[in-house]
């Protein structure tokens, strides 16, 4: 059994350990929620101060040119491209994940319907992050198509047929951390004549992604999770260059125009990925996002995403091992895949009956102890199929092995002392 | 003729003069571009620092509840509502102006088509800000409707008939500063059975707006111009409560869901204006925007938008008077309405032939002297109908009478010495 001392040794020997010093981590906190909101890069405060005082305050409107504000979507996009196997000029930062999905799903449907009008299905997983399903539901309604949701990964192959227009999946499931085989699924969908959109919200910066290698069609992703871009950071969007000239962008704002500063009354989309821009970018939030993305690029000299993946798996395997050994008898079950190849950078736990209704309170009790994870409600109508979960993200840039050990120790204490029964841990907040 | 000394006296006697001290204004600059990017409120740096270090850095994910991040769109929206004649709970901050137009124009078209399927026209002005036209073009194409553009305000009445679905206008024209009579136009459009959308990008914080009084249907607006919210600040969106429950939001992201943290797979729009939210809000940019909006609310005790309007008109009238007196013989023409009731908070100038091709360089020479305005290109095919313009915004929160005087003096010097012929003033930048 792994001891705390073993963990100390692993931290001391960890070649990626120094990457942690890029961040301002609050004292006394074990932060296992980087999959929801990444921590603060030390450079972000100074950078945003510079944007506010110098670029906005002093240089004002000139900064669109002199500070390169106009290039921010492409410049940060090119950095993110290096993390997800895309090439420069193919990816831009813009708007939110939801809005970017609206753009690329519109594009994919238009291409698919032009090539094969009989294809009427959009397929996704019922367990996909809801905003993706809401956007797909909207577009399916508008275009007279059907959004078909599968209940398990095993059902996907049967949907890859002549009815399928677009397969829309999230690379790593936001609840369970299940990691799809992007290359195999994309190839199978292409063989069936369909297009594939990947949501990389829980993949970019968390696991190696090779969009070009997988021959994906479109991808979107989030700036504020593993990319450490700050609360509500702008999102990103990528299209394979084979599609980049081919689609009409329904959210046709002026920043996606071929010549936005000619102020012409007719829309002419910019060549390539620039047409995925819409309105004026939120510069302050963009500046912080760039600092976050830079914390991942700092790992490139140490093996990059491959090295981070190795450490991520070591962290999640240690967590699973310790939970199995120390918490199973307290009613805790591992709800994430045990196979490394199927697991992203997070591990979710569920509590066996009669404890399952205590899941929320257990998470709150852990937070009060400084172990920050989060609670995701199950399906009240079928907790067997979709249990309440305790979700813990392990971001290898800043989480260490001893922290994993201590998090499990706190969980043992919360459960064995029934600390979670305290009233303050059972009051629901607006955001969970 | 007004002297510089007269202007000093007017500044000294100006009861709104103290509002200027809310801002960090760069030394040696006369900033007449607040209609493009408002100046930096002194509170913004500290507020954003607090968000970064305390709310993001220290409290992390807890800040969605503890710092009220989840309430930002409604909280700031309620403040903006006070500036535009809307009531609390009717207006939210979200996304960009372009995206908000996509939402409300989709809504207006859906309502109109449900009530009167024969109405097939969206009407706007060819001189409207292009992004509005691009969004309308997209929706017209998607719904098989026609976007009809009028070339002058006088043509609008003839379009108010049984074919009109939605009239979509910008309250103050971004080039000329022409101010529409919102109440009269809305009433005439309603009498013709159409809905009206107002873009308040150059109105909110610039002129008094009374959305409820005018009985408007929908409105959108910009955060980074007269609201001083910082570069690319989020925009806002309003719907008259009579429509708020009636429309399906095509950009159906999770933040507009009735219960976003129940993570249900089906979209159920939130009641009222909350359904106009889509993705996760950009918190850093929202925090700065709130500081900007507060600089306008600070004027409420001094007469609010009505008092600001009085000063704005005094500033633009002074500018027109001085330009007429001192620059007419140098080839400068006032291109904005001379009637106060038809003029927003800006004045545009054009240069008579043969000087008109020097318009860009004249603006650059002024900028080099610290007088910041901007250049907006005319229609190269018809400069008579749409000349190149030199655009100057007069934001009464921080511009004084002596600055107006000095700006005109600089313009006299740039033209009389032909300073604009210098090579560096004739090089085009990416953003104009």
């Amino acid at each position: 059994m792994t001891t705390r001392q073993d963990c100390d040794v692993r931290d001391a020997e960890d070649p990626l350990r120094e990457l942690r010093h890029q961040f301002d981590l609050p004292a006394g906190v074990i932060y296992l929620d980087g999959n929801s909101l990444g921590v603060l890069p030390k450079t972000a405060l100074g950078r945003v101060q510079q944007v506010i005082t110098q670029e906005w305050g002093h240089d004002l409107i000139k900064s669109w040119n002199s500070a390169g504000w106009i290039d921010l979507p492409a410049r940060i996009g090119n950095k993110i491209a290096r993390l997800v196997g895309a090439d420069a000029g193919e990816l831009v930062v813009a708007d939110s994940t939801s809005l970017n999905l609206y753009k690329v799903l519109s594009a994919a449907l238009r291409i698919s319907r032009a090539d094969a009008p009989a294809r009427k299905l959009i397929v996704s997983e019922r367990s996909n992050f809801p905003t993706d399903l809401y956007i797909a539901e909207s577009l399916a309604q508008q275009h007279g198509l059907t959004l078909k949701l599968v209940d398990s990964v095993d059902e996907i192959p049967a949907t890859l047929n002549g009815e399928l227009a677009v397969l829309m999946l999230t690379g790593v499931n936001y609840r369970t951390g299940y990691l799809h085989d992007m290359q195999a699924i994309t190839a199978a969908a292409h063989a069936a004549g369909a297009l594939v959109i990947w949501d990389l919200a829980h993949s970019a910066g968390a696991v190696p992604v090779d969009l070009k290698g997988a021959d994906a069609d479109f991808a979107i992703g989030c700036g504020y999770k593993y990319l450490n871009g700050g609360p509500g950071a702008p999102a990103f969007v990528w299209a394979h260059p084979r599609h980049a000239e081919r689609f009409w962008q329904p959210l046709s704002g002026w920043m996606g125009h071929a010549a936005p500063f000619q102020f012409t009354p007719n829309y002419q989309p910019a060549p390539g990925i620039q047409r995925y821009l819409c309105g004026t970018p939120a510069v302050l939030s963009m500046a912080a996002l760039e600092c976050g993305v830079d914390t991942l690029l700092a790992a490139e000299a140490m093996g990059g995403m491959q090295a981070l993946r190795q450490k991520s798996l070591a962290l999640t395997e240690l967590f699973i091992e310790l939970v199995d050994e120390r918490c199973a008898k307290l009613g805790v079950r591992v709800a994430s895949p045990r196979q490394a190849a199927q697991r992203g950078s997070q591990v979710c736990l569920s509590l066996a009956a009669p404890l399952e209704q205590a899941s929320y309170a257990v998470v709150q009790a852990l937070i009060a102890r400084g172990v920050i994870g989060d609670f995701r409600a199950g399906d009240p109508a079928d907790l067997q199929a979709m249990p309440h979960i305790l979700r813990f993200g392990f971001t290898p840039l800043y989480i260490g092995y001893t922290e994993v050990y201590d998090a499990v120790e706190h969980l043992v204490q919360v459960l064995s002392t029934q600390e979670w029964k305290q009233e303050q841990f059972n009051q629901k907040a607006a955001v969970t």
Side-chain angles (χ1 to χ4, degrees), chain A:
Chain A
M1 177 167 158
T2 302
T3 65
R4 193 171 193 276
Q5 201 174 5
D6 296 334
C7 294
D8 288 341
V9 170
R10 292 176 77 173
D11 279 331
E13 292 174 349
D14 174 11
L16 302 180
R17 181 72 175 171
E18 65 185 85
L19 292 168
R20 173 187 178 90
H21 303 305
Q22 299 183 98
F23 301 97
D24 273 323
L25 297 164
V29 165
I30 299 173
Y31 191 66
L32 305 180
D33 214 359
N35 50 320
S36 188
L37 174 66
V39 298
L40 170 63
K42 281 180 180 162
T43 54
L45 180 63
R47 176 73 187 110
V48 176
Q49 282 173 335
Q50 180 189 32
V51 172
I52 291 177
T53 58
Q54 178 66 37
E55 299 180 10
W56 176 14
H58 189 269
D59 299 339
L60 283 155
I61 198 72
K62 288 185 270 190
S63 290
W64 282 105
N65 293 305
S66 60
W69 287 348
I70 196 68
D71 302 319
L72 282 172
R75 185 173 88 201
I76 306 173
N78 285 342
K79 290 184 174 185
I80 295 172
R82 286 150 63 178
L83 300 172
V84 296
D87 290 316
E90 293 176 359
L91 189 152
V92 287
V93 170
D95 302 321
S96 64
T97 310
S98 306
L99 289 164
N100 288 335
L101 178 59
Y102 192 90
K103 300 172 195 171
V104 299
L105 183 53
S106 296
L109 291 173
R110 176 168 283 227
I111 293 169
S112 175
R113 292 162 77 205
D115 294 350
R119 294 175 179 269
K120 298 280 190 194
L121 285 187
I122 304 166
V123 167
S124 192
E125 295 179 275
R126 194 176 309 280
S127 64
N128 198 347
F129 188 72
T131 208
D132 292 31
L133 303 182
Y134 302 158
I135 293 290
E137 180 183 329
S138 170
L139 285 167
Q141 283 176 8
Q142 289 179 65
H143 296 293
L145 305 173
T146 300
L147 172 63
K148 180 183 167 72
L149 301 181
V150 299
D151 286 311
S152 91
V153 176
D154 301 336
E155 295 174 30
I156 292 175
T159 69
L160 307 180
N161 56 45
E163 291 180 47
L164 179 64
V166 178
L167 178 63
M168 178 190 93
L169 296 172
T170 294
V172 175
N173 185 279
Y174 82 104
R175 282 175 55 93
T176 63
Y178 180 89
L179 169 64
H180 282 292
D181 183 339
M182 187 178 295
Q183 183 143 13
I185 292 178
T186 304
H190 282 178
L195 296 173
V196 187
I197 296 172
W198 288 101
D199 180 345
L200 304 178
H202 292 264
S203 304
V207 298
V209 175
D210 187 1
L211 287 170
K212 295 293 270 291
D215 200 33
D217 295 293
F218 296 95
I220 55 171
C222 177
Y224 55 79
K225 298 177 185 291
Y226 292 95
L227 298 185
N228 306 310
F236 65 87
V237 56
W238 170 85
H240 195 289
R242 71 174 164 268
H243 301 306
E245 304 296 330
R246 225 186 137 194
F247 95 94
W248 165 88
Q249 147 71 296
L251 306 178
S252 49
W254 70 312
M255 285 288 165
H257 193 280
F261 295 95
Q262 287 183 12
F263 300 97
T264 57
N266 296 108
Y267 185 68
Q268 179 62 44
I273 195 69
Q274 288 284 125
R275 71 178 61 180
Y276 293 66
L277 302 180
C278 182
T280 308
V283 171
L284 303 191
S285 290
M286 298 279 273
L289 172 60
E290 186 163 23
C291 297
V293 173
D294 285 342
T295 65
L296 286 147
L297 298 185
E300 284 184 338
M302 305 171 192
M305 287 308 308
Q306 297 293 342
L308 288 169
R309 171 66 170 165
Q310 282 190 335
K311 181 175 171 188
S312 161
L313 283 176
L315 292 168
T316 53
E317 277 162 17
L318 173 63
F319 185 72
I320 290 171
E321 172 203 324
L322 293 170
V323 166
D324 281 346
E325 284 173 356
R326 307 187 61 198
C327 306
K329 60 184 174 294
L330 296 167
V332 182
R333 304 284 175 262
V334 172
S336 293
R338 291 176 174 275
Q339 275 188 272
Q342 292 182 350
R343 191 172 65 239
S345 200
Q346 69 184 68
V347 175
C348 294
L349 308 178
S350 64
L351 302 179
L355 256 187
E356 60 192 2
Q357 293 302 336
S359 302
Y360 176 81
V362 169
V363 169
Q364 300 312 308
L366 284 170
I367 289 172
R369 285 169 165 266
V371 180
I372 318 286
D374 57 26
F375 163 82
R376 286 290 174 260
D379 179 357
D382 190 356
L383 283 176
Q384 193 72 24
M386 185 175 169
H388 297 310
I389 59 168
L390 296 65
R391 189 174 72 153
F392 303 98
F394 299 85
T395 53
L397 277 180
Y398 51 83
I399 295 298
Y401 299 94
T402 303
E403 287 176 294
V404 173
Y405 187 93
D406 289 346
V408 176
E409 172 64 25
H410 282 293
L411 179 59
V412 168
Q413 290 179 24
V414 164
L415 291 169
S416 58
T417 65
Q418 301 197 319
E419 187 171 291
W420 57 268
K421 287 190 172 174
Q422 293 176 30
E423 191 185 335
Q424 80 257 33
F425 301 139
N426 288 273
Q427 289 161 348
K428 279 279 173 87
V431 179
T432 58

